[in-house]
Amino acid sequence: MNDAGTPIAAWLTRLESLSAREIDLGLERVEQLLERLNLELPATVLHVAGTNGKGSCVAMLESILRSTGRTVGCYTSPHVLRYNERIRVAGAEASDEDIVRAFARIEAVRADTPLTYFEYGTLAALVVFVEQGTEIAILEVGMGGRLDAVNAIEPQASLITNVSLDHCDWLGDDIESVAFEKAGIMRAGKPTVFGDRIVPAAITSRAADIGTALILPGRDYDWSSGSTGWEWRGASHQLAGLERPGLAGVHQLGNAAAVLALLEVAGFADLLQAERVNDALTGIRLDGRMQRLEDDPRWLFDVAHNPAAATALEATLRADPPAGRTIAILGLLDDKDVAGVVAPLSTVVDQWITVTADSPRAVSAEDLAKFIIERPGSQSIVAGSIADAIATASTLAGAEDRILVTGSFYLVGPAISELYSRRTQ
C-alpha cells in the first residue's frame, strides 16, 4: 500500500497492523528509516518531554517562536478530535494530502521494518516538516524519552516538564525509574530545562554524567504571581507585567516559566520581551485542556489521566467552583492508576458517571464504578456508551451545574465530537 491517493482513514487503519505490539519502545527502527529517507531535518529541533503539561508547553513554544516569522513545525500526540492535529506547520494542521503523501514516502522505503503507529506518525511529521520548509521543529516525546521514537532525532535543547507516575507498565513503578527514562532525551553539551521544583535524583545524576547543562527552577530561573499577573526571571533576563496564559489552571504559570527558560538557553533570548510573550500566550487554547463548550459553558473537558494531572485539575476546579454541583464523566485506560485519579477529584465531584473509553485498552465502566463506590459517600452511574453518558449528564445537570469530562483522550475526544455532532443535526 503506497498510493498517495489512498484516503487517510484507510492509511491509519493499515498503520495499526504493521507492528505486533501497539507500544514497542526502541530507536533502531526509526533510525533505519531516517537513514533511508535521507531527510534534511530542520536547523533547530527542540524536544519536550515529561509526564504532564507537554502539549501546553509545545503550544506556548510554538506561539512565541512563530512571532519571529520563521516557519515552525510541531509534532504532538495523541490527538483529541482528528489525526491531523498531531502535525502542525505555521500554526495550521497538516492536510490529509500532506500526511498521506508522507505516509506513501515512508512506505516506499519501509520494506519489512515493522513500525508502530507512533513511529510511523513521527516519521510522517518529519517528512511534512521537510517538504514545507520548516525552520524550527518542536517535537513532543510520546512516552518516556530514552527509547521513544522522537529521541532518534538530535535536538538543540530540551524541556522536561515534570516527572510523576504514568505508563508504569513500560517506564517503571517508581519516580526514579520514570525519571531515568525521561532523562534519556538529554544530550551532552546541550541544555535541558526541568520544569518542576521537585527534581528526581535520576535527572541530576544523568545531567552530571553526560555533561548536560541542567536548568532548574528556583536556581537558574523562577517566577512569582500576583493578583493580576506574574513575573519571571532567568539567567540574564527579567520580565514583569506578564499576563496569565490563556490556558486555564494555576499550573500553567510553571509551564510558561519553563518555556521562557528554554527559549533563553536555546538561542532565542531576544524573544524574551513582555509584550511579545503576552501577545503569544494569552490567546492560546487547546482542545481537551480545561476546554469549555462555547455554546454551553456547563461542559468542561480536561484529559487528566494520571494522579498528578488529576491533582492539578482538582486545584483548578476548587478555585472556580460552580454555583451548583459538579457531575463528572470518567473513562480511563487500563495502564492508569484509577484510584490515584479518582481520589483527588472525589473532593470536588458530586456525581460520577463512568463509561468505557473508546479504546481496546479501556477500563470497563463497571470496574471504574467499583473503584468509585468504594469511597464513602461516592456514587456512580454506569453508562453503556459515551453517547449514553452525555445524555445522562445532560438530564442530571441543571443550569448552575458543571459537567466535567475527564480521564482519557479516548473519552474526551469522542465526547467533544458527539456533542458537536448533536449541535449540527
Side-chain angles (χ1 to χ4, degrees), residues 127-388:
V127 171
V128 171
F129 292 165
V130 170
E131 290 185 347
Q132 298 198 13
T134 298
E135 299 167 88
I136 302 170
I138 306 169
L139 306 181
E140 178 185 331
V141 173
M143 183 185 293
R146 182 175 63 93
L147 298 176
D148 186 87
V150 165
N151 205 32
I153 296 93
E154 189 70 16
Q156 275 65 54
S158 304
L159 165 61
I160 301 174
T161 58
N162 47 61
V163 177
S164 57
L165 293 178
D166 199 7
H167 302 298
C168 295
D169 290 347
W170 292 277
L171 305 182
D173 56 6
D174 63 86
I175 291 295
E176 291 299 334
S177 295
V178 177
F180 172 79
E181 296 296 331
K182 296 188 185 301
I185 70 167
M186 296 180 182
R187 297 296 197 274
K190 297 181 179 180
T192 296
V193 173
F194 192 74
D196 195 355
R197 297 184 188 277
I198 300 174
V199 188
I203 298 292
T204 54
S205 62
R206 173 65 176 172
D209 288 345
I210 68 171
T212 295
L214 184 60
I215 312 302
L216 299 178
R219 186 188 73 183
D220 305 301
Y221 73 98
D222 213 339
W223 68 95
S224 60
S225 62
S227 57
T228 59
W230 65 295
E231 298 181 353
W232 177 89
R233 70 158 181 84
S236 55
H237 296 77
Q238 285 188 293
L239 298 179
L242 294 173
E243 300 174 29
R244 294 181 180 275
L247 296 173
V250 294
H251 57 285
Q252 294 294 356
L253 286 186
N255 288 335
V259 163
L260 298 183
L262 179 62
L263 291 171
E264 183 177 48
V265 299
F268 298 99
D270 59 310
L271 306 183
L272 298 176
Q273 306 161 18
E275 183 176 1
R276 183 191 292 268
V277 171
N278 286 337
D279 287 346
L281 299 189
T282 54
I284 293 178
R285 302 290 184 273
L286 279 177
D287 285 337
R289 281 80 161 185
M290 291 301 296
Q291 176 190 359
R292 290 195 178 274
L293 200 64
E294 291 184 4
D295 59 353
D296 190 349
R298 294 179 306 167
W299 289 89
L300 178 65
F301 307 90
D302 192 78
V303 287
H305 57 271
N306 56 53
T311 299
L313 174 58
E314 182 270 338
T316 301
L317 295 177
R318 187 174 296 282
D320 183 26
R325 301 178 300 161
T326 294
I327 299 166
I329 300 175
L330 177 70
L332 284 164
L333 299 190
D334 60 12
D335 65 335
K336 303 302 179 182
D337 179 356
V338 177
V341 170
V342 170
L345 293 178
S346 289
T347 65
V348 291
V349 171
D350 301 290
Q351 172 68 62
W352 293 92
I353 301 170
T354 59
V355 65
T356 305
D358 188 18
S359 168
R361 294 190 289 117
V363 180
S364 72
E366 292 78 10
D367 285 345
L368 284 176
K370 290 177 184 176
F371 275 101
I372 290 170
I373 62 177
E374 288 175 354
R375 301 186 62 82
S378 296
Q379 54 184 325
S380 178
I381 297 170
V382 175
S385 67
I386 292 174
D388 288 344

Side-chain angles (χ1 to χ4, degrees), residues 405-417:
V405 182
T406 190
S408 173
F409 283 93
Y410 296 95
L411 165 63
V412 170
I416 295 172
S417 296

